[in-house]
Amino acid sequence: MITKTWKMIFTLLLRLLALTATLAATLVMVTAHDSTEVMHFTFKAKYSYEPAFKYFVVAEAIASGYSLIVLFLSSKNSFSRLVMILDMVVAMLLISSVSAAMAVAYVGKKGNIHAGWLPICGEVAKFCNQATGALISGLLAAIMYLLLLIYSLHDTAYWMS
């Protein structure tokens, strides 16, 4: 049988990994920028030029802040239900932001021939590579929050029965 100490260590480890992933996603996306020159016109690519990327950065930053707060809360059961509910909210926030940003990133990488949108990643590869790294980190954070949520729900159901 798994002791309560091991459960707390596992939860703490998952929260630390989630914090690291959300911080990495935020920092990598915020620092992502590139520019190219086409026919004497300079085109810049930054996360702040795309609303879905802004949403991604804000969601990841919120998740980072929440993770920090929860790490410093008491490990007692006084906040366990609230933390479980907020874990679910943060997990859904991360999933929605990663989904929105991935959709935009896909169009940037592949274009959309039906709408006449050309792919831009060939021109601003540095930006696209950094955005891809941020999205991977954000997706990992969302998965970690889902694991935390499933673990919390399983643990609560186990103790209730």
Side-chain angles (χ1 to χ4, degrees):
M1 182 167 186
I2 299 174
T3 65
K4 193 167 187 130
T5 305
W6 283 108
K7 289 178 182 180
M8 285 176 31
I9 291 171
F10 178 72
T11 303
L12 179 68
L13 182 64
L14 265 179
R15 288 197 185 281
L16 283 172
L17 289 171
L19 172 63
T20 303
T22 55
L23 277 175
T26 304
L27 293 175
V28 170
M29 185 62 89
V30 166
T31 60
H33 60 83
D34 200 0
S35 62
T36 187
E37 191 171 312
V38 178
M39 297 174 60
H40 303 294
F41 290 107
T42 302
F43 295 98
K44 295 180 183 178
K46 294 172 83 173
Y47 88 95
S48 58
Y49 295 164
E50 177 54 49
F53 288 160
K54 285 188 208 177
Y55 173 52
F56 175 79
V57 167
V58 170
E60 296 293 324
I62 288 170
S64 295
Y66 169 73
S67 296
L68 262 174
I69 291 168
V70 170
L71 282 172
F72 290 111
L73 279 178
S74 171
S75 61
K76 307 274 189 246
N77 284 336
S78 56
F79 295 111
S80 64
R81 292 201 190 250
L82 177 63
V83 168
M84 189 181 340
I85 291 168
L86 291 175
D87 281 350
M88 182 173 60
V89 170
V90 169
M92 297 305 116
L93 179 68
L94 290 175
I95 289 169
S96 68
S97 72
V98 169
S99 299
M102 279 190 176
V104 170
Y106 181 82
V107 172
K109 179 114 176 128
K110 302 287 184 181
N112 184 333
I113 195 164
H114 304 292
W117 299 335
L118 299 175
I120 63 159
C121 283
E123 302 298 322
V124 286
K126 178 184 165 197
F127 172 77
C128 288
N129 291 337
Q130 283 186 275
T132 299
L135 290 172
I136 290 169
S137 185
L139 181 60
L140 289 174
I143 290 169
M144 285 179 228
Y145 265 100
L146 286 174
L147 288 174
L148 270 168
L149 184 60
I150 290 168
Y151 183 73
S152 296
L153 288 171
H154 177 267
D155 195 38
T156 302
Y158 176 76
W159 291 111
M160 289 181 138
S161 60

